Amino acid sequence: MYTEPAVSVGNVGQLAIDLIISTLNMCKVGYFYTDCLVPMVGNNPYATAEENSTELSINAEVYSLPSMNLMALQLRSIFIKYKSKPFCEKLISWVKRSKCAKVIVLSSSHSYHCDDEQLRSIPFRYLLTPKMEKSVGEALQNLHWKEMEKSKSFPGIGDSELCIRIPGGGITKALYTESCAKEIEMAIVLKFVSEGDNIPDAFDLVRYLNNWLQIIKPQECSDPTTSVSQWKMPSSWRLLFGSGLPPALF
């Protein structure tokens, strides 16, 4: 199984992948070379000691956990203009060559685009390609998950046709469309969010995903904070909002 984030509103998918990689202590096994992402380099975001804190990370890295047959791609920069579609095509081609059994894309969408029905229900939605629908569709229905609704392609125009719209979802829809065309088993799992401190949204998304995939064993406890502690925040999150205000300002 293969998981990846979409670079979407609040970076929720990327934060969720961070939690999965950090919690499972997944091993970096390679890089996804592409000229479609803005180049970047930084320190090891999952450093656990001084010895591995100086390891470098780049914009697209692949992590693996053989014991669970799980692989994760983490994206850490934005797309170069007009390069998102070529990236999707290249990524899906790589997934097909690698013979990944299932692909899970974690994403998000602008909550202010929700209609009245969406506002009254849970903030999570899923999408399945036709091939994925055959294998897991019934399981997700048994979990009472809600499929992403179709909406008017041009809101406000009465005779506008219905289609899948994911405002703020970045490459999410493009990945879905390309996977449908290439007969890839792909599931999109997303949450409606607003920009801000999106760490709680990332925790919500991985817990929701875990109800299906059982990545980690859920704890049965009435304390709502316990389920959060099951997921390990990477060391890089300590500086997610900077290093704080310098005392000299006061």
Side-chain angles (χ1 to χ4, degrees):
M1 186 172 60
Y2 164 77
T3 61
E4 66 168 287
V7 183
S8 54
V9 55
N11 302 110
V12 176
Q14 292 157 291
L15 294 172
I17 291 292
D18 261 355
L19 286 172
I20 292 173
I21 292 172
S22 182
T23 300
L24 298 179
N25 195 27
M26 297 180 72
C27 178
K28 182 165 65 177
V29 294
Y31 308 95
F32 186 79
Y33 177 76
T34 174
D35 61 355
C36 301
L37 292 167
V38 173
M40 63 79 61
V41 66
N43 287 343
N44 181 8
Y46 311 115
T48 55
E50 188 174 345
E51 291 75 25
N52 64 0
S53 62
T54 56
E55 294 177 7
L56 297 181
S57 63
I58 62 170
N59 54 12
E61 295 183 325
V62 181
Y63 294 79
S64 174
L65 186 63
S67 62
M68 293 182 64
N69 292 322
L70 178 64
M71 187 164 59
L73 170 67
Q74 179 61 296
L75 305 178
R76 297 194 178 96
S77 68
I78 60 175
F79 292 99
I80 295 172
K81 196 172 184 179
Y82 307 124
K83 291 277 192 173
S84 58
K85 190 174 187 300
F87 175 84
C88 292
E89 293 172 349
K90 183 177 181 180
L91 180 61
I92 295 303
S93 177
W94 175 68
V95 166
K96 200 170 182 69
R97 289 198 313 272
S98 301
K99 298 181 179 179
C100 296
K102 291 179 175 59
V103 180
I104 314 295
V105 177
L106 303 182
S107 185
S108 53
S109 183
H110 283 301
S111 58
Y112 65 78
H113 278 274
C114 292
D115 58 27
D116 290 345
E117 182 181 346
Q118 290 171 334
L119 289 172
R120 287 193 295 265
S121 66
I122 60 173
F124 303 97
R125 291 294 186 274
Y126 76 90
L127 273 173
L128 301 177
T129 59
K131 194 166 184 180
M132 190 72 149
E133 176 72 41
K134 295 177 182 178
S135 59
V136 305
E138 185 177 351
L140 298 189
Q141 290 176 13
N142 291 337
L143 289 172
H144 304 292
W145 280 25
K146 292 186 71 68
E147 190 172 6
M148 188 67 176
E149 301 88 347
K150 289 185 177 181
S151 58
K152 293 180 179 179
S153 53
F154 297 100
I157 300 178
D159 58 351
S160 176
E161 65 179 29
L162 298 178
C163 66
I164 297 294
R165 296 178 64 249
I166 309 177
I171 63 171
T172 305
K173 185 177 177 181
L175 282 173
Y176 174 73
T177 303
E178 185 71 14
S179 296
C180 288
K182 295 291 178 65
E183 298 185 340
I184 299 292
E185 289 196 50
M186 174 181 285
I188 309 261
V189 185
L190 63 84
K191 185 185 181 191
F192 298 125
V193 303
S194 299
E195 287 276 10
D197 180 358
N198 295 103
I199 289 177
D201 295 312
F203 276 112
D204 288 344
L205 189 59
V206 292
R207 288 201 302 268
Y208 191 72
L209 179 70
N210 199 55
N211 289 333
W212 169 32
L213 297 181
Q214 301 290 291
I215 298 171
I216 61 175
K217 186 177 180 181
Q219 291 183 351
E220 296 181 3
C221 182
S222 58
D223 183 358
T225 61
T226 304
S227 58
V228 172
S229 65
Q230 286 184 276
W231 299 93
K232 179 184 175 184
M233 291 191 294
S235 55
S236 56
W237 283 20
R238 293 198 302 266
L239 299 177
L240 204 57
F241 297 102
S243 55
L245 298 174
L249 285 177
F250 308 99

